[in-house]
Amino acid sequence: MTPKNEIAIPILKLTVGYNPVTGELWWLKRGPHWFTNTPDPEKESKRWNTRYEGRPAFNTKNAYGYLCGRHSGVTLYAHRVMWALHKDEWPYPFLDHINGCRNDNRIVNLRIVDRLSNNRNAKLRYDNKTGFCGVTLDKKSGKFRVNVREGGKQVYLGRFLTLAEASAVAKDYRIKVGIHLPYRDWE
């Protein structure tokens, strides 16, 4: 049985084309057999193909920045569709955009992760003042404090005079323990 937010992959492969290098998805031609529940399947097939065949699929950006669309009455995310078409399986438990760009659906930018890894690759919070994950300004001392979350707990790494020094310590620690760097820290 297919979960309600997925459709059978063989059906997906018959109706959606994809390019794993560019991350593009498009609608494939549909014959009259796809429209048997209409009064005139030939006419409906021609109408559908005129309107959609070869055009981008799953290209509506939702409120969170992910590309999505509808197929057979089901809303699907473009990155999950790309994975399913390329790997012949739906991604579980989570599918992560490695570079943090939610509309970059190239197969090399996607990976299956657990919840913790997915959260570690999240964008910086909107209220982050330093621009670096785990680095905050201690207003009393005027120094930059570094705390990195590892294994469900906060690890205190010290206070530093400059933002550059504090961010470098946080980045080095993440690399040392194998925590994926937030995409903004790569710059």
Side-chain angles (χ1 to χ4, degrees):
M1 184 174 166
T2 306
K4 70 176 189 172
N5 63 339
E6 297 169 0
I7 63 171
I9 293 173
I11 291 174
L12 199 60
K13 287 188 171 211
L14 291 172
T15 57
V16 180
Y18 77 105
N19 182 335
V21 177
T22 63
E24 295 172 305
L25 297 164
W26 61 89
W27 296 114
L28 297 175
K29 184 175 185 168
R30 293 190 190 180
H33 62 280
W34 289 99
F35 303 97
T36 55
N37 61 343
T38 63
D40 187 354
E42 279 290 334
K43 183 177 178 183
E44 190 61 27
S45 170
K46 186 176 180 182
R47 185 195 69 75
W48 194 94
N49 288 323
T50 300
R51 188 171 182 187
Y52 296 109
E53 181 187 4
R55 300 241 167 90
F58 306 101
N59 62 343
T60 302
K61 195 178 275 192
N62 73 5
Y64 302 103
Y66 292 103
L67 296 177
C68 61
R70 300 208 27 101
H71 188 304
S72 304
V74 178
T75 300
L76 299 171
Y77 288 98
H79 59 288
R80 294 178 56 79
V81 170
M82 178 63 69
W83 187 273
L85 289 170
H86 191 71
K87 302 284 188 175
D88 284 332
E89 64 182 14
W90 287 102
Y92 288 106
F94 294 94
L95 191 60
D96 182 43
H97 289 86
I98 296 170
N99 69 3
C101 184
R102 294 175 176 178
N103 62 358
D104 182 356
N105 295 319
R106 296 172 297 134
I107 204 70
V108 296
N109 188 42
L110 302 174
R111 64 181 176 165
I112 292 180
V113 294
D114 60 9
R115 183 183 301 273
L116 182 62
S117 297
N118 196 39
N119 290 342
R120 284 182 177 153
N121 196 29
K123 286 185 176 183
L124 288 176
R125 289 174 44 119
Y126 72 93
D127 59 351
N128 183 300
K129 305 255 191 288
T130 65
F132 295 94
C133 191
V135 179
T136 56
L137 178 62
D138 182 353
K139 291 179 182 175
K140 287 184 180 179
S141 67
K143 294 181 180 180
F144 292 93
R145 180 182 170 100
V146 179
N147 284 311
V148 176
R149 183 169 286 282
E150 180 190 0
K153 62 181 178 180
Q154 288 283 349
V155 177
Y156 173 71
L157 299 177
R159 295 172 197 261
F160 304 90
L161 290 174
T162 67
L163 177 59
E165 187 180 12
S167 64
V169 167
K171 184 176 181 178
D172 290 345
Y173 182 79
R174 281 194 199 93
I175 290 170
K176 182 178 127 190
V177 298
I179 298 174
H180 184 75
L181 294 173
Y183 77 97
R184 251 179 149 179
D185 282 353
W186 295 351
E187 301 170 343

